[in-house]
Amino acid sequence: MTPKYDPEKCRQWIEGNIDIDFFRAICDPVRSELLIFLASSGELTIGEIAENFSQNRSVISRHLDYMNRFGAVKRRKVGREVFYQVDKQTIVTKFGTASENMKALLGQ
Amino acid sequence: MTPKYDPEKCRQWIEGNIDIDFFRAICDPVRSELLIFLASSGELTIGEIAENFSQNRSVISRHLDYMNRFGAVKRRKVGREVFYQVDKQTIVTKFGTASENMKALLGQ
DNA sequence: TCAATTAGTGCATTAGTGTGCATATATGCT
DNA sequence: AGCATATATGCACACTAATGCACTAATTGA
């Protein structure tokens, strides 16, 4: 006896309770390293960041842009340089609400 | 002036503070749906679960096995059937500690 | 033992993502 | 304007992951 439950409703629940895109942006080997690196380094330009990673600068640029789109980092352009820093507020909030919602859903 | 910070240390921090593999297992479109589906349906066999998804049963089987390896669901074999249910404890704990550690790291 | 049922596995195909190079764009400086 | 510097983008390639099909393994029941 299968409890007829709609996967569509699951998608909706997820959409409303966990920012999957944000977590996907975080849970990548390179991007998570970038995030922790920025968390401990403060605000840096793409060039400075890329110096500390093995990947090509263009690759780092793309990863940072990706994380910026989902709120994990903040971007600031000054002249021809682009600075990045972690978006503390957003990160803490996203983790916090996801955690709370999961707890509420699972009732523990 | 680049603050000489070692990406290796970042990897270590992540490894010790966030279970990236667990989150990667969760943050997949199909697997997150499976998880929420199970959360609201209780314990079901692979066949019953697969009936509610468009993917082939073998695909569902593999996704469940994947999540089981990282603690998101619990597996129980009875005869020729295999039952799955969410691992509430692990999920709540993983989200909770990740959230706490992030907050501690970012100091907010 | 044999057929039926349930789940797991091997394999080929497809889709998605990461990567680096070359080039384009934007900005600053002389 | 002309050149140097910093970043972004187009493109091709490599690698990983998801998927479905066919087949195998395990278990049940007649």
Side-chain angles (χ1 to χ4, degrees), chain A residues 25-66:
Chain A
I26 300 290
C27 294
D28 169 85
V30 177
R31 290 194 291 269
S32 58
E33 269 180 55
L34 275 167
L35 195 75
I36 305 306
F37 176 78
L38 281 178
S40 49
S41 303
E43 193 184 44
L44 296 174
T45 67
I46 293 176
E48 290 170 325
I49 298 166
E51 281 175 17
N52 290 275
F53 287 79
S54 61
Q55 285 84 354
N56 189 280
R57 183 166 57 248
S58 70
V59 171
I60 298 298
S61 171
R62 269 185 272 241
H63 278 304
L64 290 167
D65 173 64
Y66 189 95

